[in-house]
Amino acid sequence: MSAIASLQKGHQLPLQRSVEAISIPFGKPVWLDEDETVQVMQALGTSVSVLFRGNMYLIEGFNLDAFGMEPMERPHLPDGATDQELEDFVWQQLRTCFDPEIPVDIVELGLVYGCKITTLIDGQKMAQVKMTLTAPGCGMGEVIAEDAKHKILGAEQINRVNVELVFDPPWSRDMMSDEAKLALNMF
């Protein structure tokens, strides 16, 4: 069982060092201070959603040492990875991104419409991701996009990430995988 999977909702965790987090729903990086205590809201994929002073934050698994736990390794690829390997990596990282309120990853929810690796004029690699939200007014878009960017940039060969939020075609429950529907009791 991974360290993240061992965290239970409601669990109180004291911070043993300052840690970078992503504010929910704004998607902005912030720092939570050492010796503060956070409460686990959701622990899925490679991130933990926590509650601190009435606000929610997302903390990456490679920062688990802030809780006194073994940190997860940052994702990476070997040197010389092909564009196909980079694209596969991006899809793997997207499968570790969760809406902080829904226990199904964004790929299985049908929110990701596509991914493409582009080589820029200067030789740098950019991952372009097209995704949507369950509703146009969903406040989690920036958080999910920021989480995806952080995880995709774990590959040193990817220099930039562009996550484009689109609403055409509009998302519907039909876009969810059978596994997602089962997990959310929607059969």
Side-chain angles (χ1 to χ4, degrees):
M1 178 186 330
S2 73
I4 285 186
S6 70
L7 296 173
Q8 300 295 313
K9 183 176 181 174
H11 191 164
Q12 301 284 325
L13 298 171
L15 294 176
Q16 297 179 11
R17 68 166 175 84
S18 294
V19 64
E20 185 177 17
I22 300 169
S23 65
I24 299 172
F26 308 108
K28 303 295 179 209
V30 298
W31 285 89
L32 303 181
D33 294 326
E34 180 179 1
D35 295 327
E36 297 288 356
T37 299
V38 298
Q39 179 181 353
V40 175
M41 300 304 292
Q42 179 170 278
L44 295 168
T46 60
S47 305
V48 181
S49 300
V50 298
L51 185 65
F52 175 67
R53 295 187 182 168
N55 297 305
M56 284 185 62
Y57 301 92
L58 194 65
I59 298 175
E60 297 285 346
F62 56 80
N63 281 319
L64 288 180
D65 61 312
F67 304 133
M69 301 172 74
E70 187 70 30
M72 298 178 80
E73 280 190 48
R74 285 183 179 259
H76 63 279
L77 284 169
D79 289 338
T82 66
D83 283 359
Q84 185 60 54
E85 289 170 323
L86 292 173
E87 186 176 322
D88 292 345
F89 173 86
V90 170
W91 281 105
Q92 288 170 357
Q93 296 315 301
L94 292 171
R95 284 183 171 84
T96 70
C97 296
F98 290 78
D99 180 314
E101 299 173 330
I102 302 173
V104 176
D105 73 73
I106 62 174
V107 173
E108 294 298 321
L109 277 175
L111 298 179
V112 180
Y113 289 166
C115 166
K116 181 169 80 171
I117 301 297
T118 304
T119 303
L120 304 174
I121 293 172
D122 62 4
Q124 292 187 346
K125 299 286 185 177
M126 180 170 72
Q128 296 181 14
V129 177
K130 264 192 188 174
M131 64 173 287
T132 194
L133 303 172
T134 55
C138 174
M140 295 299 141
E142 292 302 316
V143 172
I144 296 168
E146 194 64 30
D147 186 31
K149 286 178 189 177
H150 275 262
K151 290 174 177 174
I152 293 166
L153 287 171
E156 298 83 14
Q157 299 89 332
I158 298 176
N159 309 97
R160 296 183 191 172
V161 177
N162 178 38
V163 177
E164 180 183 1
L165 291 175
V166 298
F167 297 101
D168 188 29
W171 180 85
S172 74
R173 292 178 178 191
D174 295 336
M175 295 173 168
M176 295 170 59
S177 71
D178 288 344
E179 292 83 9
K181 290 175 185 173
L182 183 62
L184 297 174
N185 295 319
M186 297 179 99
F187 272 116

